[in-house]
Amino acid sequence: MSLTHLISIRDLDYREAITLLDTAEQMAATQSRRVKKLPTLHGRTVVNLFFEDSTRTRLSFEAAAKRLSADVINFSAKGSSVSKGESLKDTALTLQAMGADAVVVRHSSSGAAHRLAHAGWMNLPVLNAGDGTHQHPTQALLDAMTLRRHFRRDASDPNTDPVAPGTDLKGARVVIVGDVLHSRVARSNVDLLTLLGAHVTLVAPPTLLPVGVDQWACDIDYDLDHAISTEPDAIMMLRVQRERMSAAGGGFFPSPSEYHAAYGLDRQRFDRLPEHAVVMHPGPMNRGLEICAEAADSARSVVVEQVSNGVCVRMAALYLLLAPEGTSRD
Ligand code: CP
């Protein structure tokens, strides 16, 4: 694979996406062993550079790097010299000087990961762990891995060519619900799931859809009950990003209870989902707002599975970007 960074799903072609997902499956196979650690990245150093809060992404990138035997340096903007005004550029130069071999970055500004990778400040692979409202590529990959495990087209079907673009998740129908406007998860998922052949419908109030969404490769529905009546295979509830709403002055919906009534996955809607449908959420969940506890904790919720798959996807991304050509992955 010729990738030097992982900044956006839009940088991937079909084969590269499949290579990442197949490699993640190979990594998953190693994670059921008693000894989970692989020697692949021994002697390499991965820096986790987090300018925004994170639980799942930061911890799973750390776990992924450590399972590949890399050394990990965790940098959090809180408590660092960023509070004294240090720039992204000077932070990058400092990391390179400390001998980093790859940088994982989360930043509140859309485009920060691209800038770090392409500004010429340093010469290291950059993995985007979420930039503003733009992209969160490893989240989309872990979501696709989760969906593949439930709905992947039967590879033995003689009527389809398994390597033809768009066949991997062909026929899978995914409904993504909620705060699309602020969601890098929604953008990344629309890009990746449609690349893999799935059909995606976004459901949101008009105030929570971005300008230009009609150009995206998906359908739009303003009515969650209608979207559920189409019998999707998966429903992905998005977090209502109240921190970005208050920064923008609020006013995106009348009240939390009205949002929940119109766009929450409540008990009644959950009961109307097809029996085979899975419930997804990237986390962290606002229980009682976008999703009820019964749905979040049900046997059809794959939220915990998504987190486990996140470690495997991040192992795959680090392996493909950092391991020398021909290095064994087991
Ligand atoms: N899904 C996700 O990015 O979660 P964190 O913000 O906890 O990393």
Side-chain angles (χ1 to χ4, degrees):
M1 198 165 84
S2 60
L3 275 187
T4 46
H5 306 284
L6 182 56
I7 306 297
S8 167
I9 292 296
R10 292 193 177 193
D11 298 334
L12 302 177
D13 62 23
Y14 182 73
R15 286 309 314 161
E16 288 168 333
I18 295 295
T19 299
L20 275 156
L21 291 166
D22 286 348
T23 306
E25 284 296 346
Q26 290 168 351
M27 294 298 170
T30 69
Q31 295 307 293
S32 50
R33 298 177 188 164
R34 191 178 59 80
V35 179
K36 296 181 171 57
K37 215 165 170 127
L38 309 176
T40 320
L41 297 185
H42 180 71
R44 315 301 295 277
T45 300
V46 175
V47 175
N48 278 333
L49 191 57
F50 277 68
F51 293 88
E52 242 190 4
D53 294 344
S54 169
T55 299
R56 279 147 288 273
T57 312
R58 187 173 58 79
L59 291 179
S60 62
F61 262 117
E62 181 173 354
K66 287 181 172 169
R67 302 246 173 108
L68 294 170
S69 300
D71 294 322
V72 180
I73 298 174
N74 287 315
F75 170 98
S76 161
K78 277 184 197 138
S80 76
S81 288
V82 170
S83 61
K84 301 174 197 162
E86 187 157 44
S87 65
L88 185 60
K89 176 180 178 177
D90 288 330
T91 306
L93 293 174
T94 303
L95 299 178
Q96 173 126 318
M98 285 180 179
D101 292 299
V103 176
V104 175
V105 62
R106 169 169 288 193
H107 203 285
S108 57
S109 295
S110 301
H114 184 273
R115 184 117 179 94
L116 206 54
H118 299 292
W121 301 329
M122 55 179 209
N123 184 25
L124 302 175
V126 174
L127 295 96
N128 184 4
D131 63 324
T133 59
H134 175 227
Q135 280 275 328
H136 193 350
T138 55
Q139 177 70 44
L141 285 160
L142 74 88
D143 290 335
M145 179 177 178
T146 307
L147 286 166
R148 268 181 130 204
R149 287 182 155 208
H150 289 269
F151 302 112
R152 192 176 178 193
R153 178 200 43 74
D154 181 1
S156 64
D157 182 348
N159 298 318
T160 52
D161 172 1
V163 295
T167 52
D168 196 74
L169 276 176
K170 191 171 181 176
R173 285 168 312 130
V174 183
V175 168
I176 301 178
V177 187
D179 184 1
V180 178
L181 178 65
H182 300 107
S183 180
R184 53 199 177 205
V185 175
R187 277 171 181 72
S188 307
N189 264 301
V190 170
D191 292 341
L192 183 58
L193 298 182
T194 55
L195 181 67
L196 297 177
H199 180 272
V200 178
T201 302
L202 296 175
V203 181
T207 50
L208 288 175
L209 287 169
V211 172
V213 72
D214 50 320
Q215 305 296 316
W216 297 13
C218 59
D219 287 340
I220 310 290
D221 198 334
Y222 302 108
D223 182 344
L224 179 53
D225 293 306
H226 175 260
I228 286 174
S229 75
T230 65
E231 306 205 330
D233 299 305
I235 186 162
M236 184 186 298
M237 304 308 296
L238 299 172
R239 182 171 73 87
V240 174
Q241 300 195 29
R242 284 186 277 194
E243 74 282 12
R244 296 193 209 277
M245 293 181 190
S246 48
F252 292 91
F253 48 82
S255 69
S257 60
E258 283 167 271
Y259 179 88
H260 182 69
Y263 291 100
L265 184 61
D266 60 15
R267 183 68 209 227
Q268 291 72 33
R269 291 187 177 119
F270 174 65
D271 286 342
R272 288 204 302 277
L273 285 169
E275 216 161 288
H276 73 278
V278 296
V279 174
M280 307 178 77
H281 194 301
M285 291 186 276
N286 293 307
R287 288 169 182 252
L289 182 54
E290 68 261 3
I291 190 167
C292 68
E294 290 89 344
D297 299 331
S298 74
R300 285 192 275 156
S301 165
V302 293
V303 172
V304 175
E305 209 178 299
Q306 288 172 266
V307 175
S308 302
N309 292 340
V311 177
C312 304
V313 153
R314 286 158 184 141
M315 286 175 77
L318 288 167
Y319 168 80
L320 290 168
L321 287 175
L322 273 178
E325 201 75 27
T327 308
S328 167
R329 61 194 73 178
D330 43 47

